[in-house]
Amino acid sequence: MAVPRTAPILVASNRGPVSYTLGEDGSLTARRGGGGLVSGLSAIGPDANAVWVCAALGEGDREAARRAGDSHLNPGDTGGQQVRMLDIAPDVFAAAYNGIANSVLWFVHHLLYQTPVEPVFDAEFADQWAAYESYNAAFAEALAEEAVDEAVVLVQDYHLALVPAMLRELRPDLRIGHFSHTPWAPPDYYRLLPDDVAAGVLRGILGGDRAAFLTERWAGAFADCCAAVLGAEIVRDEDSDGDGDGPPTAVRFEGRETRLGVHGLGADADFLRQRSRQADVDERLTSLRAQIGPDRKSIVRVDRTELSKNIVRGLLAYRRLLETHPEWRERVVHVAFAYPSRQDLAVYRDYTERVRRLADEINAEYGTEGWTPVALHVKDDFARSLAAYRLADVALVNPIRDGMNLVAKEVPVVSERGCALVLSREAGAYAELGDDALVVNPYDVEATARALDEALRMSDGERADRTKRLAAAATALPPQAWFLAQLRAL
């Protein structure tokens, strides 16, 4: 049965706003998620008749998708949102998601390859790329079925880079935008990809009316890749000299123009401040303070054990701080939340284990009977993360490369007494927060150790002043405004 075209606004993303657990008795339990897209869609209201298209990620999701068929999920499970969940074959999904999205596109954009030995693009890769094309085609077909004439479609992230062009073929009447939540690789690195794949990803995004990014830097890198790989024409703003050398505003290719946009996703201040004062956060705050001990300062980091987050070098910098500044021994604790991520990939399991091992080594080398230098937590706990935000004297955010990094924006919003931010210049957040952070080269362990020392010595007044300015910058474009800005731009 054909799906009726009812949606004037559509969102497509790999992960949807709800996930399901399948019970032994066949029952399904729904768990709603959060994040910028959920907040953004709620901003347009239930009367907008918007539809969210996403993929089934696990067996519970697949069962829910099968029961729904070509219809939407039960709105009681989704908070009233219309959600179409796609039951993509598990082998196709795994090859597209783990094989291409997370092991190739993510690695390219975050500059993570050890190039003497990787990547290797062989027959297995070719099969995975075919699965990625099939996965994107399933989204394009579902969006084409759901959209009314001249609907607006917002396609999200590197998982769905081919969807705009595929959807344009099926429905040339639609207004299509693509948003990249990751960095974008510079041309020399991007061209590690096989030539046809490098061109295919760019052509896919250029199928849209608009391609948007978290920072001007990532938009510029995308434009540079379009010029280098496709020979596309780049339209630029005039700079102060009037010579047309300003930031790129559009890409012209094969008779079409795709506009470029920048929307720096900010923190949701109202939600964070309200949530961080709830009883479960207070309880965890008491526990963390007891773990740190009285009259000690805290250096806090909150990350997934994702390779780009640079947790290992952060720990090495902290060890170097204790080595070169023995006066901080027994006076500071590094509270490190390293939540395991992508553990179905061996390289991530190995990295997570390396983080644990290094934390243990630092504790064995410097710990005393009454002081544990590193308090490592690996069990994901949002309330505990918020508690750490509240008490942090220093926040360490040192990614190798990051599209934005919302932790850097969330800590100043929640901080109780002011928090010095040590921030990598390779985080997208640097563009907005760099003036009031202590900025580091993420590869430079010595410089990061010096920045941690400077942050710990910062006066209460300066720390509080910087935190106010950081919080203002961090909340300039909260999730609802971020989403609506993309919608209006289309």
Side-chain angles (χ1 to χ4, degrees):
M1 186 178 74
V3 176
R5 295 181 176 181
T6 60
I9 299 171
L10 299 96
V11 170
S13 64
N14 175 68
R15 183 181 298 275
V18 62
S19 60
Y20 290 89
T21 303
L22 182 63
E24 292 183 6
D25 60 354
S27 62
L28 287 172
T29 303
R31 182 172 179 267
R32 291 210 295 273
L37 282 179
V38 173
S39 297
L41 258 187
S42 66
I44 63 176
D47 297 334
N49 213 23
V51 170
W52 189 329
V53 178
C54 62
L57 304 187
E59 194 47 48
D61 286 2
R62 292 190 187 95
E63 181 58 29
R66 291 182 198 117
R67 293 180 189 181
D70 288 335
S71 300
H72 301 148
L73 299 175
N74 181 344
D77 295 340
T78 65
Q81 292 172 334
Q82 297 187 79
V83 178
R84 181 167 170 189
M85 188 174 275
L86 305 180
D87 180 18
I88 296 168
D91 59 333
V92 173
F93 177 84
Y97 181 71
N98 284 328
I100 299 298
N102 288 342
S103 296
V104 176
L105 298 181
W106 180 274
F107 270 60
V108 165
H109 290 316
H110 290 83
L111 316 186
L112 291 177
Y113 280 123
Q114 298 180 66
T115 53
V117 293
E118 59 183 9
V120 176
F121 296 121
D122 52 14
E124 182 184 10
F125 169 80
D127 291 340
Q128 292 171 335
W129 179 252
Y132 183 79
E133 291 177 316
S134 297
Y135 165 84
N136 275 252
F139 272 85
E141 289 160 9
L143 292 164
E145 290 171 357
E146 296 274 356
V148 300
D149 291 348
E150 300 183 351
V152 174
V153 184
L154 295 175
V155 181
Q156 302 295 314
D157 226 358
Y158 61 104
H159 313 90
L160 303 177
L162 307 184
V163 168
M166 290 176 168
L167 185 55
R168 177 74 58 204
E169 285 287 317
L170 297 171
R171 294 287 305 277
D173 61 299
L174 301 179
R175 288 172 290 163
I176 305 167
H178 185 276
F179 192 92
S180 294
H181 294 259
T182 64
W184 197 275
D188 285 351
Y189 204 92
Y190 183 77
R191 296 184 88 165
L192 288 175
L193 293 171
D195 291 352
D196 60 332
V197 171
V201 169
L202 296 173
R203 285 174 177 271
I205 292 176
L206 292 178
D209 298 283
R210 197 166 181 271
F213 301 85
L214 286 163
T215 72
E216 194 174 280
R217 180 183 178 186
W218 311 142
F222 173 78
D224 291 343
C225 287
C226 290
V229 175
L230 300 176
E233 177 190 353
I234 309 305
V235 182
R236 296 183 181 274
D237 261 346
E238 290 189 358
D239 63 9
S240 57
D241 298 327
D243 59 7
D245 236 6
T249 58
V251 177
R252 290 178 181 151
F253 181 65
E254 294 186 341
R256 292 195 69 258
E257 180 171 295
T258 300
R259 290 173 290 124
L260 302 180
V262 174
H263 305 284
L265 175 62
D268 188 340
D270 292 340
F271 164 74
L272 287 168
R273 287 175 179 142
Q274 182 271 332
R275 181 68 184 86
S276 66
R277 263 55 183 181
Q278 291 182 2
D280 60 339
V281 179
D282 289 338
E283 178 186 323
R284 285 158 177 79
L285 184 64
T286 299
S287 176
L288 281 175
R289 282 183 172 144
Q291 185 176 24
I292 293 167
D295 302 321
R296 287 190 179 127
K297 290 183 179 290
S298 61
I299 300 170
V300 168
R301 80 171 305 136
V302 178
D303 278 311
R304 293 173 294 110
T305 53
E306 210 294 312
L307 306 182
S308 66
K309 298 300 182 182
N310 209 23
I311 301 170
V312 166
R313 287 192 189 88
L315 287 167
L316 291 172
Y318 177 63
R319 182 166 71 183
R320 185 63 174 154
L321 171 76
L322 298 179
E323 180 183 348
T324 56
H325 292 279
E327 67 271 22
W328 286 119
R329 298 175 194 173
E330 300 199 71
R331 291 181 53 213
V332 63
V333 172
H334 184 13
V335 181
F337 295 168
Y339 300 141
S341 173
R342 299 177 183 171
Q343 296 298 289
D344 45 353
L345 296 175
V347 65
Y348 283 86
R349 293 194 300 273
D350 293 344
Y351 188 76
T352 301
E353 183 53 36
R354 187 171 179 188
V355 168
R356 291 178 191 263
R357 193 164 60 245
L358 183 52
D360 288 343
E361 288 173 5
I362 294 169
N363 287 336
E365 184 175 1
Y366 290 103
T368 62
E369 185 176 343
W371 172 61
T372 302
V374 180
L376 179 67
H377 296 264
V378 297
K379 187 171 185 289
D380 196 347
D381 185 333
F382 183 56
R384 189 174 57 203
S385 298
L386 291 173
Y389 290 175
R390 283 174 58 180
L391 62 77
D393 296 292
V394 178
L396 176 58
V397 181
N398 68 319
I400 292 169
R401 197 168 166 88
D402 216 331
M404 177 55 69
N405 195 295
L406 282 177
V407 170
K409 291 188 167 186
E410 290 168 351
V411 174
V413 173
V414 174
S415 173
E416 289 186 350
R417 297 178 292 112
C419 177
L421 175 62
V422 176
L423 178 65
S424 165
R425 67 190 185 196
E426 298 302 313
Y430 164 73
E432 297 162 88
L433 307 184
D435 287 347
D436 287 296
L438 300 176
V439 178
V440 295
N441 171 348
Y443 299 96
D444 191 338
V445 169
E446 287 289 312
T448 304
R450 290 195 297 270
L452 290 174
D453 177 60
E454 183 181 350
L456 289 167
R457 296 179 191 279
M458 190 179 292
S459 71
D460 292 347
E462 182 182 354
R463 203 173 61 213
D465 288 345
R466 285 185 185 234
T467 301
K468 286 176 186 173
R469 294 191 296 269
L470 287 167
T475 55
L477 196 67
Q480 291 188 350
W482 168 81
F483 182 87
L484 293 175
Q486 293 178 67
L487 206 57
R488 283 191 295 268
L490 276 173

